[in-house]
Amino acid sequence: MKEIRKDNFTQIIKLSNISQKLLDVGEEVFFAKNKILVSAGDVPDGFYYLKDGLVKSCVYSTNGNEYICGLIDKGSIFLEANAIFSIPSDGYFKIMEPSHLLFFRKENFLNLLQTDFDVTLSILQSITCKFLASGYFFTELLVHDSEWRLCRLLLTFADNFGIKIENKIKLNIKISQQFISDMLGVNRGTAIKVINKLKEMNLIEQTNGYYFIKDLQRLKNHQAEITT
């Protein structure tokens, strides 16, 4: 089983070691960009495995502002706890780019949970990681400021979407200033201020909608200095 470490708990949900027996009972589905899989208050009759693409989990405030709770990357399952225990979703799950998924109907996987330890372990690992990630994320909100959290977000994106181009790391996902503010849970003005500061420090740059980390170690060092 993949080692579970505190520094894995980010706003990007990405797991491995999903039981093959579980994958075998999934139904292939495809959804185009912007499709909403589940809305707040829905009780799903199954859960999903993301084969490729990208899904976001988000909530909306009473005035319509979006807050991104997390991104779900390929190789992960989601909505499993809601389906197993018939719990309404507290947010929306929306397709960010064309995605292929497997859908697991509740009646199919409940039998596997009772008879196959590997399947049960896969589900437990996924639920546990999400639970711990949620606690760690709220600790970050309480302890660290927006600049530290933006550094954390950029470093997380580098781990999950980064590709090396010359001496830079390109974050191979288009993210806007509004998207960053939605992920950090701050207003757009605050996000722009912190982004501009990192640009002025020559730590990051932006070209054609893509962010580049100009010096990964310097960005890590800067985050560490903020902590102290």
Side-chain angles (χ1 to χ4, degrees):
M1 172 178 286
K2 180 179 178 181
E3 180 187 3
I4 299 177
R5 304 194 320 271
K6 181 180 179 181
D7 58 3
N8 284 334
F9 301 147
T10 68
Q11 285 172 280
I12 298 180
I13 301 168
K14 187 173 185 177
L15 299 174
S16 60
N17 300 325
I18 304 299
S19 169
Q20 186 59 48
K21 290 183 180 179
L22 177 62
L23 298 181
D24 288 342
V25 302
E27 303 172 19
E28 295 263 359
V29 291
F30 171 81
F31 295 110
K33 183 178 179 180
N34 295 325
K35 167 71 176 179
I36 295 178
L37 297 178
V38 172
S39 298
D42 289 350
V43 179
D45 59 353
F47 65 94
Y48 294 91
Y49 169 83
L50 184 60
K51 295 182 67 177
D52 62 66
L54 193 64
V55 176
K56 71 176 176 182
S57 169
C58 58
V59 296
Y60 292 92
S61 66
T62 53
N63 58 5
N65 291 331
E66 180 183 78
Y67 296 96
I68 300 175
C69 304
L71 301 181
I72 301 166
D73 200 5
K74 63 182 180 181
S76 291
I77 58 178
F78 59 100
L79 290 169
E80 67 280 9
N82 301 81
I84 293 171
F85 300 108
S86 299
I87 300 172
S89 173
D90 59 357
Y92 294 78
F93 288 80
K94 187 175 182 179
I95 301 291
M96 288 190 65
E97 58 186 48
S99 300
H100 292 87
L101 306 95
L102 293 177
F103 179 68
F104 306 94
R105 296 190 181 278
K106 185 172 182 178
E107 60 269 22
N108 292 337
F109 71 79
L110 282 181
N111 289 330
L112 280 176
L113 285 178
Q114 297 178 54
T115 59
D116 192 286
F117 180 71
D118 287 339
V119 171
T120 304
L121 205 57
S122 292
I123 298 295
L124 285 175
Q125 181 194 23
S126 182
I127 293 175
T128 300
C129 285
K130 292 183 181 73
F131 173 76
L132 295 173
S134 177
Y136 186 54
F137 173 64
F138 284 112
T139 298
E140 287 186 354
L141 287 176
L142 292 172
V143 175
H144 300 292
D145 63 14
S146 55
E147 185 176 349
W148 185 97
R149 289 188 287 116
L150 176 57
C151 292
R152 169 71 166 172
L153 187 63
L154 293 171
L155 291 170
T156 299
F157 280 165
D159 285 340
N160 290 274
F161 307 112
I163 55 175
K164 193 167 185 178
I165 298 179
E166 297 178 348
N167 295 321
K168 305 173 186 176
I169 303 294
K170 177 184 178 181
L171 307 184
N172 200 29
I173 175 176
K174 282 196 173 183
I175 50 176
S176 64
Q177 293 171 337
Q178 186 61 55
F179 181 88
I180 290 174
S181 70
D182 292 342
M183 287 211 75
L184 295 180
V186 299
N187 62 53
R188 190 165 179 266
T190 299
I192 292 172
K193 181 179 179 181
V194 180
I195 290 168
N196 288 339
K197 179 177 179 179
L198 296 184
K199 287 181 178 178
E200 291 168 3
M201 295 178 66
N202 208 32
L203 293 172
I204 63 172
E205 64 183 20
Q206 187 181 19
T207 304
N208 298 324
Y210 291 96
Y211 281 88
F212 291 76
I213 298 176
K214 302 182 73 172
D215 190 320
L216 192 65
Q217 190 57 53
R218 279 190 61 218
L219 182 61
K220 291 179 180 179
N221 292 343
H222 179 61
Q223 184 196 32
E225 289 170 1
I226 298 172
T227 304
T228 57

